[in-house]
Amino acid sequence: MIFSERIRTLKWLSRTVPARLGFKADEDGSFKAVRLLHGGLGDQEQLKILEAFGLADNQVRLLFTGDVASEGVNLHRQCHQLIHYDIPWSLIRIEQRNGRIDRYGQEHQPEFRALVLTSSHPGAKDDRTVAEKLILREEEAHKLNGTAEAETGCYRAEEEERRLIRELVKGGSVEDFLDDAAENGDSELFDLFGQVDTVTEHELPARAELVSLFDGNTAEFVDTALDEVFGDQAADLIDLSRKNEGNGSYLSLSPAMAPDLLHRLKALPPSYLKEQGVAKRMLVTFDRTLAQRKLDEARKSSTSLWPEVSFLTDLHPVVEWLTDKVLVEFGHQEAPVITSPHVDGPVFLVQGIYSNALGRPTVVRWMAVTGLDGSAGSPGVVPMADALRDAKVDPRLARTGGPRDLGHLQSLVPAAVAAARDHLEAGKDEWAAQLSGPLAAYREHVSGWKQDTLEGGATGRRERQVEETADELARLLDQLETTGRPLLRVLAVLDRPGDQDPAGTEDSPTPEPTPSDDQAENN
């Protein structure tokens, strides 16, 4: 991959370099192994060139490109060598170029080269004056700071180039520009936000336990959800089938038969949707080995950029679509009742949420309220994950019939909500202290930054900018504090089964709707 900033240079390189490397030209003088990419080409033509360069067996071996390819494209699949024929006067732009092949998934050590032209005349200014110094400083910044922005306080390549040129015109040097970031217009804000990338030795917060009826098994959830939504008609309604390949298996379905699913798939890369014809036929698997094999085949393919079988995770649009399809099975103010012979009495599963002034959750607790009918002593609150494990709630829970007394469960909803609210209120101060500590530290940081900046001689427009920035951050920090009463939602109820159903032996829990008091704390 060879970068140059000028189209005329790129065209000359694309004619000259391949012949020097031994590539044979066609009758019209062009080379099948060469592609030329620049901003003068249409979007579709640019896309075709990038796709050809990313295919393993494609004949393209050299890509001559301008900075149109320095952002937003992944070129690391088949390429790990990059040359700067000319060097932009911007650390950010150099870093952007290198980032096309220095990416996650690169299987080789990236190699970067740059052409540095020197003069034989003593005292003459050549590429060593600016370009070479920028290349060396970008490498240093990448190793030490991770980003070029940390070197200059600039966040736009054009702005960085403009400031560097201004420094050089004044008689300064690259070193003056890079070492004196305080002279840059964004330096005050850089000082303010510079701590974002600071490495700390604080202990990482404890990981929350995932609450799941399926123990995190996406395959079991999808199978159960498909059965719940489509029953035995999935083959007719979405053309669902199961196929085997080697030791793995995958699902085949037609999104075109489910318009709501087809709409969600727009979140996936357009090139994948088009190349694989996903609207008509989509292939997905839970088998990591099969998915990896298909991915490896696609990387080595001469015709495809995408695997024909995709790996299905909880974040895949298909899983999110099924989740919502299951949720709408329950009406407004309804929650499922799951019967299990492993509970002594009703267990209300409740989610409690505290939010900040922006309406975003700051505390989320998954609770199980027990003992409301006196069958298990006084009311108590335990972690929801523990309650689900004790009740052995998972896809293998045998169907044992409906609840004993649905009306009685409905009458206990207010008491369950009250017990959950009391539990949240009891721990509110502790959670608030955990949240307010980092906010208080940042308030102090903002206050110190404001004082230091104003005392440093900021006047006029810069002084107003500092005042406005500090005030805005103070308002934002106030909005991040936990406020108001908690939102409580009854998600489900566990109860012992009523009359046993000898014929019911399906390996799935029995949900029955019951009204919930999920808006009790909103009124």
Side-chain angles (χ1 to χ4, degrees), residues 230 237-238 254-263 321:
F230 298 107
L237 296 178
I238 57 173
S254 176
M257 300 176 69
D260 52 343
L261 172 58
L262 193 61
H263 177 74
W321 168 69

Side-chain angles (χ1 to χ4, degrees), residues 45-324:
E45 183 65 20
Q46 292 183 28
L47 182 60
K48 290 180 180 179
I49 293 172
L50 293 172
E51 288 181 351
F53 190 65
L55 295 173
D57 295 336
N58 196 283
Q59 58 191 347
V60 177
R61 289 295 179 268
L62 298 173
L63 176 64
F64 296 91
T65 179
D67 283 321
V68 66
S70 66
E71 296 182 77
V73 294
N74 299 322
L75 299 173
H76 63 288
R77 291 181 58 182
Q78 306 301 330
C79 177
H80 67 278
Q81 297 169 319
L82 184 150
I83 298 173
H84 300 275
Y85 183 78
D86 47 37
I87 304 168
W89 284 13
S90 165
L91 297 185
I92 296 175
R93 186 70 72 197
I94 295 171
E95 183 179 73
Q96 288 173 338
R97 286 181 175 185
N98 293 346
R100 298 313 96 209
I101 65 170
D102 188 7
R103 308 188 69 76
Y104 178 78
Q106 174 62 264
E107 297 182 352
H108 304 278
Q109 179 65 37
E111 298 178 13
F112 304 102
R113 299 290 185 270
L115 179 65
V116 177
L117 300 177
T118 62
S119 173
S120 60
H121 295 280
K125 294 184 182 297
D126 51 32
D127 282 349
R128 291 171 295 184
T129 306
V130 176
E132 185 178 49
K133 294 176 180 179
L134 289 174
I135 285 287
L136 295 175
R137 185 59 71 94
E138 190 281 331
E139 181 181 12
E140 180 182 348
H142 182 74
K143 291 179 179 179
L144 298 180
N145 299 316
T147 64
E149 290 89 341
E151 286 291 298
T152 64
C154 298
Y155 298 90
R156 298 183 302 277
E158 296 79 6
E159 180 68 9
E160 182 189 358
E161 289 181 354
R162 183 181 65 81
R163 292 177 180 173
L164 174 57
I165 293 173
R166 186 171 59 190
E167 179 68 32
L168 297 175
V169 169
K170 291 191 306 182
S173 64
V174 174
E175 290 84 359
D176 294 334
F177 169 70
L178 295 175
D179 295 337
D180 194 13
E183 295 296 323
N184 294 327
D186 289 342
S187 60
E188 287 87 356
L189 295 180
F190 179 72
D191 291 339
L192 176 59
F193 297 111
Q195 69 168 12
V196 173
D197 292 330
T198 301
V199 178
T200 65
E201 297 182 356
H202 296 164
E203 291 186 8
L204 294 175
R207 293 181 62 87
E209 183 175 9
L210 178 66
V211 179
S212 172
L213 297 178
F214 296 87
D215 197 25
N217 191 318
T218 305
E220 288 189 342
F221 167 75
V222 170
D223 288 341
T224 305
L226 287 170
D227 182 63
E228 176 69 21
V229 175
F230 298 107
D232 58 1
Q233 296 183 304
D236 297 327
L237 296 178
I238 57 173
D239 198 15
L240 180 69
S241 61
R242 300 176 185 272
K243 302 180 182 297
N244 296 317
E245 181 173 323
N247 295 327
S249 63
Y250 60 89
L251 297 178
S252 172
L253 68 154
S254 176
M257 300 176 69
D260 52 343
L261 172 58
L262 193 61
H263 177 74
R264 286 174 179 262
L265 295 182
K266 292 181 179 180
L268 299 176
S271 57
Y272 160 67
L273 298 176
K274 181 179 180 181
E275 178 192 294
Q276 295 297 329
V278 171
K280 293 182 179 180
R281 179 61 51 193
M282 187 175 197
L283 308 180
V284 293
T285 183
F286 305 104
D287 188 323
R288 290 181 178 272
T289 302
L290 174 60
Q292 186 63 53
R293 185 168 75 247
K294 291 297 182 181
L295 180 60
D296 293 340
E297 290 175 0
R299 286 174 172 170
K300 298 176 182 178
S301 171
S302 60
T303 59
S304 173
L305 286 172
W306 300 96
E308 60 178 339
V309 180
S310 299
F311 186 58
L312 211 57
T313 69
D314 289 348
L315 299 179
H316 196 284
V318 170
V319 178
E320 293 180 341
W321 168 69
L322 277 174
T323 301
D324 288 344

